[in-house]
Amino acid sequence: MKILVTGFDPFGGELVNPALEAVKKLPDNIAGAEIIKIEIPTVRIKSLEKIEKAVEEHNPDVILSIGQAGGRFDITVERIGINIDDFRIPDNEGNQVIDEPVFSDGESAYFSNLPVKAIVENIRNHEIPASISNTAGTFVCNHVLYGVRYLIEKKYKGKKSGFIHIPFLPEQVISKPNMPSMAVDTVVEGLTAAIEAIVKNDEDIKKTGGTVC
């Protein structure tokens, strides 16, 4: 099995992106799967172009994208991507689109076809906090989550994809009082556990992971 793992470059005035730092530290082989690691730009359209180029080059079975979600307390496995770009801040090339579809001919939303609940459970088994998220926002992270699933549905049938958000690194919150963070080595351990679950679970487990509101 080949798994393509992507991490964004820094954005929003940050000097580092924990997603990229963690992806770079992942092992080259996890649970027998070959791990292919790439950096992608925090830029609308170009992020997907970089991923699709890597898909064409490496033909991975799974595309797993990692993104920074400052303010979140745990590793959050995204369940769904929606067909909207509504950028609160500009991306790294100044694009700040409002209420535009990711793909005009796409469905309103696509669910991740990874075993999201099994991923959360395996991360927690490593004593690392994790949960399912039902919103990936409306910035480039959601653009990638939705967009990769769209590409799979339209061009790359049989492949799987999904998205995981991670908190800030400790060094990013020194001047951000009361903001949660997670050490990069803990994130790497959590992502490794996530990938182990992807390799070992063709189908997701039946276990509650929802929220009341």
Side-chain angles (χ1 to χ4, degrees), residues 15 55 77 120 134 146 153 156 162 198:
L15 299 179
V55 170
V77 183
V120 168
N134 294 302
Y146 178 91
E153 292 298 317
Y156 303 105
I198 292 169

Side-chain angles (χ1 to χ4, degrees), residues 63 101 125 206:
I63 302 97
N125 286 343
K206 281 289 185 182

Side-chain angles (χ1 to χ4, degrees), residues 18 21-27 75 126 128 166 168-171 182-193:
E21 299 309 307
V23 167
K24 289 190 295 188
K25 295 186 74 172
L26 285 172
I75 295 176
H126 285 72
I128 298 169
I166 60 176
F168 281 136
L169 298 175
E171 56 263 39
M182 185 175 287
V184 67
D185 287 345
T186 303
V187 174
V188 171
E189 183 180 355
L191 295 181
T192 300

Side-chain angles (χ1 to χ4, degrees), residues 3 10 13 19 26 50 59 61 65 67 71 81 89 92 95-96 99 106 119 121 127 141 149 154 174 177 208 210:
I3 300 179
L26 285 172
K50 182 76 176 286
N59 191 28
D61 302 285
S65 298
I89 61 173
N92 282 354
N95 302 300
Q96 191 169 10
D99 297 341
I119 291 171
E121 182 173 81
E127 299 186 343
C141 290
R149 285 290 293 114
K154 299 294 184 179
I174 293 170
T208 184

